[in-house]
Amino acid sequence: MKQELKKHIVLGLTGGIAAYKAAELARLLMKQGVEVQVAMTEAACHFITPATMQALTGRPVLVNQWGAAESGMAHIDTSRTADAIVIAPATADFIAKLAHGLADDLLSTLCLARDCPLLVASAMNRQMWANAATQRNIAQLGRDGVTLLGPCSGAQACGEEGMGRMLEAEELARDIVAFLQNTPLSLALSRKRERELEGVRVLITAGPTYEAIDAVRGITNRSSGKMGYAVAQAALELGAQVTLVSGPTALPKTQGARVVDVTSAAEMFDAVKQHVADADIFIGVAAVADYRAAQPSEQKIKKSADTLTLELLPNPDILAYVANLPKPPFCVGFAAESENLREQAKAKRKAKKIPLLAANLAQQAIGADENELILFDDAGEHVLPRTDKLTLARALVQHIVILYQQGKQR
Ligand code: PMT
């Protein structure tokens, strides 16, 4: 059944291959009761026709600021009546224009002349995304209060693989609707992203640990490190000094963070003990092995017909150690549960005596590109709906900033 959200957005398309996803996005938004007015740059028209977008939305598409259909003050009128402008796809070039306040076509003029929120779904090649100029422009948009949706990592149209791929239409529709409904995620995402953690030292654990059984075998888990690295990235974006203690992962080193590579839980514990005195905030995202082999063999254990019994010893609880220090940093824990998420998470927050715990379903979170979190703090619970891990990490870190600053004022 069509839900009447009664919101009106301008959907701006710029010239990237991901423009084809905008057709489905418009359809999904309209299905949820969002009125969609499409505006396209000339470059976007090379990838998808205005006729397609007009047929889907039932409204003439705005393209040319000098054309008869868009004469008058289209740039002012259109943004005045909109609840938000969403740019999807947003190319590196268009993002640069937004960051510098350029207005040399109808869509960029609409963005500059708006008094409504702006949401930007980036889409570009991984090297364009990683380029320092793009990252500067993205950071500027964050400071200007623009809401960034994605991008995510994956296969790219050019045949390469990496960060810069636009989120799928379903993901964007969900995030846009959440934004229009003022959910906790949207509030966290739409806060102005000043450098609120400038000078704040954040210690983060990420990834799995590996507990050797013998020379070639060990106990580990499927944590990829993606969630912890995303949290590190989100903290860096706000100006934090980040130390990332990472178990074995296949991820590239986080630029700008001090990365300490470890293998076992004991090594992770040592690294945390070494750096915790300098930390203002500690975030335990790592999936630390709860047990290790009592007597790991230096040589490969030979196969035999006998039963092999492995004695396991419990590992130290790193988060509990940090939280119980005489002057602990602001502590944030994660809980990965396969059932009874809420009950287990609340019990874990209480047992570990930490102000904030982020709970996720292990089977949906571990190794995945996306996640959903429920945050538990003294005020209750806050759901951060499913989205890519970087978007989620930004919302989580915004929540941490609020609690951390409140704690300092007491
Ligand atoms: O790495 P990804 O593939 O992106 O997956 C992310 C994730 C699912 C691993 C992550 O979101 C997550 O949930 N991390 C915590 C997983 C976990 O081990 O939860 P736990 O319930 O066992 O531990 C609770 C908390 O105590 C965690 O903050 C953990 O880091 C910490 N802990 C646990 C055991 C231990 N010996 N020392 C710890 O510090």
Side-chain angles (χ1 to χ4, degrees), residues 65-228:
Q65 59 186 335
W66 311 117
E70 298 97 24
S71 62
M73 300 296 276
H75 56 294
I76 308 264
D77 297 344
T78 312
S79 65
R80 286 280 147 79
T81 51
D83 292 298
I85 299 180
V86 179
I87 310 295
T91 59
D93 177 70
F94 196 77
I95 286 167
K97 265 190 199 177
L98 290 175
H100 292 88
L102 300 183
D104 62 356
D105 63 8
L106 181 62
L107 187 55
S108 53
T109 309
L110 273 177
C111 292
L112 200 62
R114 78 184 195 279
D115 56 5
C116 62
L118 177 61
L119 288 76
V120 167
S122 311
M124 67 196 76
N125 160 272
R126 66 181 178 86
Q127 277 173 327
M128 292 172 99
W129 173 255
N131 190 291
T134 305
Q135 287 305 309
R136 254 195 331 268
N137 293 333
I138 286 285
Q140 184 58 50
L141 294 191
R143 285 194 286 278
D144 294 345
V146 173
T147 298
L148 302 168
L149 305 173
C152 62
S153 181
Q156 304 204 312
C158 53
E160 296 179 359
E161 180 108 17
M163 195 71 178
R165 188 184 152 92
M166 188 167 90
L167 297 180
E168 295 304 321
E170 295 76 18
E171 299 168 311
L172 287 174
R174 184 206 48 220
D175 289 356
I176 294 163
V177 167
F179 184 93
L180 294 171
Q181 288 172 327
N182 277 339
T183 64
L185 175 64
S186 78
L187 295 177
L189 290 175
S190 60
R191 289 188 65 212
K192 263 191 190 257
R193 293 204 289 133
E194 308 285 358
R195 289 174 69 83
E196 290 162 301
L197 291 177
E198 190 83 64
V200 177
R201 298 157 305 174
V202 181
L203 178 60
I204 299 167
T205 64
T209 64
Y210 176 89
E211 315 298 323
I213 295 172
D214 68 12
V216 293
R217 306 179 182 98
I219 303 167
T220 187
N221 58 66
R222 292 196 287 118
S223 168
S224 61
K226 288 175 195 166
M227 192 70 234

Side-chain angles (χ1 to χ4, degrees), residues 223-227 284-286 316 318-319 334 348 352 360 367 389:
S223 168
S224 61
K226 288 175 195 166
M227 192 70 234
V285 196
I318 302 169
L319 175 60
F334 267 68
K348 211 163 254 184
K352 303 224 183 195
N360 47 201
K389 284 182 174 170

Side-chain angles (χ1 to χ4, degrees), residues 223-273:
S223 168
S224 61
K226 288 175 195 166
M227 192 70 234
Y229 278 53
V231 172
Q233 178 65 37
L236 282 167
E237 286 173 4
L238 298 190
Q241 291 168 29
V242 174
T243 301
L244 178 61
V245 179
S246 173
T249 78
L251 301 176
K253 291 241 179 304
T254 305
Q255 297 279 322
R258 171 164 56 175
V259 182
V260 183
D261 288 317
V262 297
T263 301
S264 64
E267 285 173 20
M268 187 171 274
F269 191 28
D270 284 346
V272 167
K273 280 196 282 192

Side-chain angles (χ1 to χ4, degrees), residues 215-356:
V216 293
R217 306 179 182 98
I219 303 167
T220 187
N221 58 66
R222 292 196 287 118
S223 168
S224 61
K226 288 175 195 166
M227 192 70 234
Y229 278 53
V231 172
Q233 178 65 37
L236 282 167
E237 286 173 4
L238 298 190
Q241 291 168 29
V242 174
T243 301
L244 178 61
V245 179
S246 173
T249 78
L251 301 176
K253 291 241 179 304
T254 305
Q255 297 279 322
R258 171 164 56 175
V259 182
V260 183
D261 288 317
V262 297
T263 301
S264 64
E267 285 173 20
M268 187 171 274
F269 191 28
D270 284 346
V272 167
K273 280 196 282 192
Q274 202 183 326
H275 292 98
V276 73
D278 295 331
D280 302 302
I281 297 175
F282 174 74
I283 311 172
V285 196
V288 187
D290 288 326
Y291 294 93
R292 67 183 184 280
Q295 286 182 320
S297 166
E298 280 190 15
Q299 305 305 326
K300 184 179 170 200
I301 299 171
K302 295 275 174 254
K303 189 165 110 180
S304 84
D306 299 336
T307 307
L308 179 70
T309 305
L310 197 61
E311 194 189 347
L312 299 177
L313 296 177
N315 273 328
D317 191 317
I318 302 169
L319 175 60
Y321 165 85
V322 175
N324 283 294
L325 286 170
K327 280 191 178 168
F330 180 85
C331 283
V332 182
F334 267 68
E337 307 294 343
S338 57
E339 56 176 358
N340 302 329
L341 184 61
R342 284 183 162 80
E343 293 71 33
Q344 308 253 34
K346 280 186 206 161
K348 211 163 254 184
R349 184 173 96 90
K350 211 167 156 196
K352 303 224 183 195
K353 297 190 201 128
I354 50 173
L356 178 63

